[in-house]
Amino acid sequence: MRELLRRAAGRRVTVGFDGFIDTIARPVARTATADAPAQYFESIPAFGQYLVEHGGKSCSIALHVERRQLGGNLPHLSRAASMLGLDVSCVGMLGQPGIDPVFSDLPCRLYSFAPAGEATALEFSDGKVFLAADAVWSDDPWQDVCAHVPQAEQLFREAELIALVNWSELDASQALWQAVYDRAVRPDRANFSRFAFFDLCDCTRRSAEQLDQVLRLLGRFATRRTVVLSLNENEALDCGHKLLDGLDDLGALTEALCQRYGIQQVLVHTIHETLLRTPDGLTREKTRFVAQPRISTGAGDHFNGASCFALLAGLSDRDRVHFAGVFASTYVSKGSTPTLDEVLDAL
């Protein structure tokens, strides 16, 4: 495995299209006193119960701001893939005019077409809640991209792996993904040694019709490239609920998505296990549990970045799942993006 991983260095990846600046905060349950420090809402259910109890009333919640940092799926996935050695180009909302300083330390080629979005991430011991305003787009978002990044079409056309992320939160994502297919993928001959990797993100607010539409688009990508659809458990179950008659068995769900939409591979990562469905069958592996995580924001994107790297390295299905899981758990326990050597040591 080590030799295959090192051979993947320098492979070209292009990622689109989001970019956020996250304010990481913890909601305060009790303010500090002279005798005791502040107490925070430890879990999402505890925070939710507090809100429910204040229904029909007003309430005020203080936030302890811990830091401001780059956010969005594109920056986290790109950092992970770059730290592992891939040659990554990012076409995203990374600042206008010029790259926002919060993204300046990304080890990637940065191309920005819009100001970064702003989001607040409420962190809890069992997960996080993102609050973000919608971006404003013109009637032709691909032209918005090309007006600021004239080489966008070439970057996607020449990439050995295209990664398109955050379909759910960007209203223009369907049009942008369609434009990548029409301009950079469809004109080429089919080449299944090249890849298109997709992360829909939390699609619960999208309709069944919209979800069906984007998955049919992924099926068209799959006529030209090997397509990998990456879902977390919530996203996978939402697909089952809206499109597959309520199917909630994850193994059967991955197979049904592949068959219905012509997608070659579906990857599902949960807090308990990871599943990978490919033409070779279904691979399952238990998730590496981190008892005291230093960070949770970006863990899924780091898993996806490592999955892209393992895919380009030509690892077996089982080794791909194992490598991505070790990389993500190392990120969560360390609190920063690990290098390839650090992951190899953990393996």
Side-chain angles (χ1 to χ4, degrees), residues 1-10 79-86 305-306 309-310 313 315 323-324 326-327 330 334 336-347:
M1 182 194 293
R2 289 173 179 257
E3 184 59 30
L4 284 174
L5 291 170
R6 295 195 184 281
R7 286 180 186 174
R79 183 193 294 280
S82 293
M83 289 290 285
L84 288 168
L86 297 178
F309 180 77
L315 298 189
F323 177 82
V326 171
F327 183 86
T330 303
K334 179 186 174 189
S336 61
T337 306
T339 64
L340 178 58
D341 286 336
E342 287 173 322
V343 181
L344 291 175
D345 288 342
L347 288 170

Side-chain angles (χ1 to χ4, degrees), residues 14 142 150-159 183-184 194:
T14 300
W142 180 250
Q151 64 272 60
E153 181 179 322
Q154 179 182 0
L155 290 170
F156 284 105
R157 186 174 62 249
E158 295 180 352
R183 298 172 180 274
R194 300 171 73 185

Side-chain angles (χ1 to χ4, degrees), residues 1 20 68 105 198 327:
M1 182 194 293
F20 286 87
R68 293 183 82 245
D105 68 339
F198 297 92
F327 183 86

Side-chain angles (χ1 to χ4, degrees), residues 156-160 188 191-196 225-226:
F156 284 105
R157 186 174 62 249
E158 295 180 352
E160 295 169 84
D188 285 350
N191 183 346
F192 299 108
S193 67
R194 300 171 73 185
F195 304 94
R225 302 283 188 271
T226 294

